[in-house]
Amino acid sequence: MKLLYLDIPIFFANRDMLEAFQEYVDEDGEHLQILRYMFNYTEESARKNPEFEAEFPGILKEHSPDFVFSFNFLPVVSKVCNVAGIKYVSWIYDNPEILLYSYHVINKCNIVLMFDSKQFETFRKGGIKTVEYMPLAASTRRLDAMIPDDETVSKYSADIAFVGSLYTERRRYYDEIAEKITPYTLGYIDGMIRGQLQVDGVNVMEEALRPEIVDEIQKASNIYPHADSAETREYLYANYIINRQATIIERREILTMIGEKHPLNLYTYAENNEFNPKGVINKGAAEYFVEMPYVFKLSRINLNITLRSIQNAIPLRCYDILGAGGFLLSNYQVDLARHFVPGEDYVFYENRKDILNKIEYYLSHEDERKAIAKNGHDKVQKEHTFDVRVKQIIDLVKAKDI
């Protein structure tokens, strides 16, 4: 079987996925034949790319792969593969992911793997038959091989750690529109945010946006749906503006609250260096392959505070924590509770007070904490590695007719 692998190094999982494809052996003992193609990914190059559209058909014709693979859905790849009659597998890695709303998502060549079950259900109910549900994964092979030495133990050991963006280092659409909209609309949005932050496991931002609010946000933001795709204004504003602002507020408030009670190591982008509330030790960024696994291995409690636009899904951070053998304390996510057992493989918190209670409990119950971390690791190793996902993808490719 031949694979044309679109190599996109900016995606953290790219290296682990390529290795899993390289390690795959079928029932006859045969490895995949893999051709790598470097794709310079931007949203614009994934949507429209005349140079790629001129070159790629010749590559497909020359090598005749059984399927093409990429992380995230690349409409320009689907367009070319559909004409060539070549299966195209894309594994959605980001959320929000506006390219999923491209009209090319319905192309018969597609197998679009969605890591968020809510988004998958929405598309399927909308009649999109080219989508499948597939959660993300971790490479326990790589993570288990990283054994910390004494210096590493000294450097990364902590009671509590959070690794992630504060979203203040990115474009802040909320701040850009806040001075341009009426006090009523600003208050309405702020009320939506405060209400949403009281609830995990369901997101109501899109449904709560009234038409007149949407019109005002559009005028203030100058953000419009793309002509070649079907995303709604409600989707754009709820996920790129409001859910992002909610996440900014939530992460800063939770980290500040914890820091008042317990020392907490924060690993985030350099642009967030000004965030240093009491008890929060801002360590700067942790390199994904070199440092982050040691943070997860050597922190007694690893926090996950999910980006609010991720509705049901398990963030990659959770897989990386569990795969490294770390103890995971997360907000409630439907898919996390579906694939892992709360209290056995990981622990979730129900509200702000519960975060502190769970931290106090597991810092003082070392054996129980270690047992849960081991269970989580072992379940990832058995059911949620990139090797497991590759076998699932090959089965989907073999079963698909175009």
Side-chain angles (χ1 to χ4, degrees), residues 19-31:
E19 181 181 349
F21 273 126
Q22 291 167 336
E23 292 292 323
Y24 174 79
V25 179
D26 66 17
E27 59 272 13
D28 297 320
E30 297 292 328
H31 287 269

Side-chain angles (χ1 to χ4, degrees), residues 223-241:
I223 297 174
Y224 296 83
H226 288 79
D228 60 351
S229 58
E231 73 273 9
T232 64
R233 295 184 302 166
E234 288 80 3
Y235 173 83
L236 289 172
Y237 306 150
N239 289 292
Y240 286 91
I241 299 176

Side-chain angles (χ1 to χ4, degrees), residues 4-8 14 37 39 56 68-70 74 77 88:
L4 199 161
Y5 185 89
L6 296 181
D7 206 337
I8 308 176
N14 184 66
Y37 180 96
F39 190 93
F56 204 58
V68 174
F69 174 87
S70 77
L74 314 181
V77 176
Y88 171 43

Side-chain angles (χ1 to χ4, degrees), residues 304-316:
N304 173 60
I305 309 167
T306 303
L307 173 63
R308 281 285 171 169
S309 56
I310 300 176
Q311 297 204 30
N312 285 6
I314 306 172
L316 184 63

Side-chain angles (χ1 to χ4, degrees), residues 378-389:
D378 292 350
K379 181 163 284 187
V380 169
Q381 189 172 52
K382 181 181 179 182
E383 301 178 14
H384 300 281
T385 64
F386 287 98
D387 296 328
V388 170
R389 297 290 182 259

Side-chain angles (χ1 to χ4, degrees), residues 28-67:
D28 297 320
E30 297 292 328
H31 287 269
L32 283 172
Q33 298 179 50
I34 302 174
L35 172 68
R36 295 167 65 180
Y37 180 96
M38 299 300 296
F39 190 93
N40 185 21
Y41 178 86
T42 64
E43 183 185 318
E44 187 58 35
S45 70
R47 191 182 291 276
K48 186 177 181 180
N49 193 330
E51 183 179 339
F52 175 85
E53 291 182 52
E55 177 190 40
F56 204 58
I59 293 174
L60 294 178
K61 184 176 181 180
E62 177 184 357
H63 296 282
S64 299
D66 292 284
F67 69 105

Side-chain angles (χ1 to χ4, degrees), residues 146-291:
M146 298 182 68
I147 309 299
D149 57 22
D150 291 344
E151 181 180 351
T152 304
V153 170
S154 176
K155 183 175 181 180
Y156 295 107
S157 291
D159 280 349
I160 310 166
F162 176 73
V163 180
S165 170
L166 298 183
Y167 288 95
T168 52
E169 74 281 353
R170 307 186 183 200
R171 185 172 180 182
R172 300 181 66 173
Y173 295 104
Y174 175 90
D175 289 349
E176 293 177 15
I177 70 168
E179 296 181 359
K180 302 176 184 177
I181 57 180
T182 63
Y184 171 81
T185 296
L186 184 62
Y188 187 92
I189 293 172
D190 288 345
M192 288 173 59
I193 291 172
R194 281 299 168 189
Q196 182 62 72
L197 291 181
Q198 304 304 309
V199 182
D200 287 331
V202 62
N203 191 293
V204 299
M205 294 301 198
E206 286 185 60
E207 293 83 355
L209 279 171
R210 289 162 34 184
E212 65 272 20
I213 301 294
V214 171
D215 289 341
E216 193 168 343
I217 294 174
Q218 178 177 285
K219 183 178 179 180
S221 67
N222 202 33
I223 297 174
Y224 296 83
H226 288 79
D228 60 351
S229 58
E231 73 273 9
T232 64
R233 295 184 302 166
E234 288 80 3
Y235 173 83
L236 289 172
Y237 306 150
N239 289 292
Y240 286 91
I241 299 176
I242 302 173
N243 277 321
R244 185 173 293 183
Q245 180 66 14
T247 303
I248 290 172
I249 294 170
E250 183 170 39
R251 291 188 176 181
R252 292 173 72 98
E253 288 185 352
I254 287 177
L255 296 175
T256 299
M257 177 191 72
I258 294 172
E260 291 175 352
K261 301 290 185 180
H262 303 277
L264 181 152
N265 283 357
L266 169 65
Y267 294 86
T268 190
Y269 294 103
E271 292 86 347
N272 296 316
N273 283 341
E274 83 291 345
F275 182 69
N276 286 290
K278 177 185 175 183
V280 176
I281 306 155
N282 194 325
K283 298 279 192 176
E287 202 281 333
Y288 184 82
F289 290 101
V290 177
E291 298 177 287

